[in-house]
Amino acid sequence: QVQLQQWGAGLLKPSETLSLTCAVYGGSFSGYYWSWIRQPPGKGLEWIGEINHSGGVNYSPSLKSRVAISEDTSKSQFSLKLDSVTAADTAVYYCARGAYNKIQDWGQGTLVTVSS
Amino acid sequence: EIVLTQSPATLSLSPGERATLSCRASQSVSTDLAWYQQKPGQAPRLLIYDASNRATGIPARFSGSGSGTDFTLTISSLEPEDFAVYYCQQRSNWLITFGQGTRLEIK
């Protein structure tokens, strides 16, 4: 049974960089799509982007200019960086594992609050 | 970008009743559609993928149907633990989008 464990700073000031990391335990790192998804308080799910089994990355058009997703296969980890955060970036951020068209496993979520 | 529209926004039913949730895509997604259940304070859980295939461990009362632009998630007889928010999701080439969700609440 795969487990995704994520961590990172939970409180940021406007203009700072959000940084989260997700570690994969109990499952293969290769052959999957590794996504970041966020959910503002009381709202729906928003896909941020992914890194796939070939190391290719895809990002949501609305966040593409500020986001970077990377991987460290030696540690079975992948990471999210989001630049120049504002209050609108306040959300629970999830890391997730999936296949091409489904998301099968989710991390526990990290609440990131942006406030001055 | 393909937009997914879910209806209704809120569905009020009683345990034992049948629930029918709809997801409409702004253009065809073939059968590349998934459904998720989310309970308060929890991460979403995959229920259905490829429009009609139940994920591992999902009870048989959950079923999905549809293709192209119109999809349905049916819960045949509601159990108390089924009251939650449900999302549909699609992938078109490199972009994943979610519907806005349907809240299934106890009547």
Side-chain angles (χ1 to χ4, degrees):
Chain A
Q1 179 77 6
V2 67
Q3 288 191 341
L4 305 180
Q5 186 169 347
Q6 57 183 103
W7 65 89
L11 180 61
L12 297 172
K13 290 182 168 52
S15 80
E16 292 186 330
T17 295
L18 180 157
S19 182
L20 297 173
T21 298
C22 183
V24 182
Y25 299 102
S28 172
F29 194 75
S30 61
Y32 290 95
Y33 291 72
W34 303 97
S35 288
W36 288 97
I37 295 152
R38 70 181 183 178
Q39 185 170 37
K43 297 188 178 180
L45 301 167
E46 179 184 18
W47 181 75
I48 298 169
E50 69 183 7
I51 187 163
N52 63 35
H53 54 86
S54 303
V57 291
N58 295 308
Y59 301 127
S60 169
S62 64
L63 296 170
K64 187 174 183 178
S65 63
R66 298 193 291 131
V67 69
I69 296 174
S70 60
E71 65 179 3
D72 184 339
T73 56
S74 67
K75 295 181 179 179
S76 293
Q77 296 177 359
F78 63 109
S79 298
L80 168 71
K81 290 190 185 299
L82 182 66
D83 294 332
S84 305
V85 297
T86 69
D89 295 311
T90 294
V92 174
Y93 286 74
Y94 294 101
C95 62
R97 181 183 84 158
Y100 177 76
N101 60 355
K102 60 185 176 183
I103 300 168
Q104 297 154 286
D105 303 288
W106 300 68
Q108 79 275 20
T110 299
L111 174 61
V112 177
T113 302
V114 181
S115 175
S116 55
Chain B
E1 175 180 329
I2 294 179
V3 177
L4 298 178
T5 302
Q6 293 186 239
S7 61
T10 303
L11 184 57
S12 299
L13 294 170
S14 300
E17 292 192 293
R18 181 184 186 91
T20 302
L21 288 67
S22 175
C23 177
R24 176 164 290 179
S26 59
Q27 56 186 282
S28 177
V29 298
S30 184
T31 55
D32 286 336
L33 190 104
W35 290 93
Y36 301 83
Q37 176 193 68
Q38 187 179 32
K39 296 179 180 179
Q42 296 183 17
R45 176 175 70 147
L46 176 67
L47 299 175
I48 302 288
Y49 65 96
D50 291 344
S52 61
N53 294 312
R54 272 190 305 276
T56 302
I58 301 303
R61 64 180 181 274
F62 290 91
S63 63
S65 63
S67 66
T69 60
D70 290 304
F71 300 87
T72 301
L73 173 69
T74 302
I75 310 171
S76 59
S77 180
L78 285 165
E79 298 287 341
E81 63 267 27
D82 298 337
F83 292 91
V85 180
Y86 293 82
Y87 295 95
C88 56
Q89 171 255 315
Q90 68 83 35
R91 173 192 284 267
S92 174
N93 296 316
W94 50 266
L95 178 59
I96 287 176
T97 57
F98 291 92
Q100 82 279 17
T102 289
R103 180 178 303 277
L104 179 55
E105 63 177 27
I106 299 176
K107 187 174 183 179

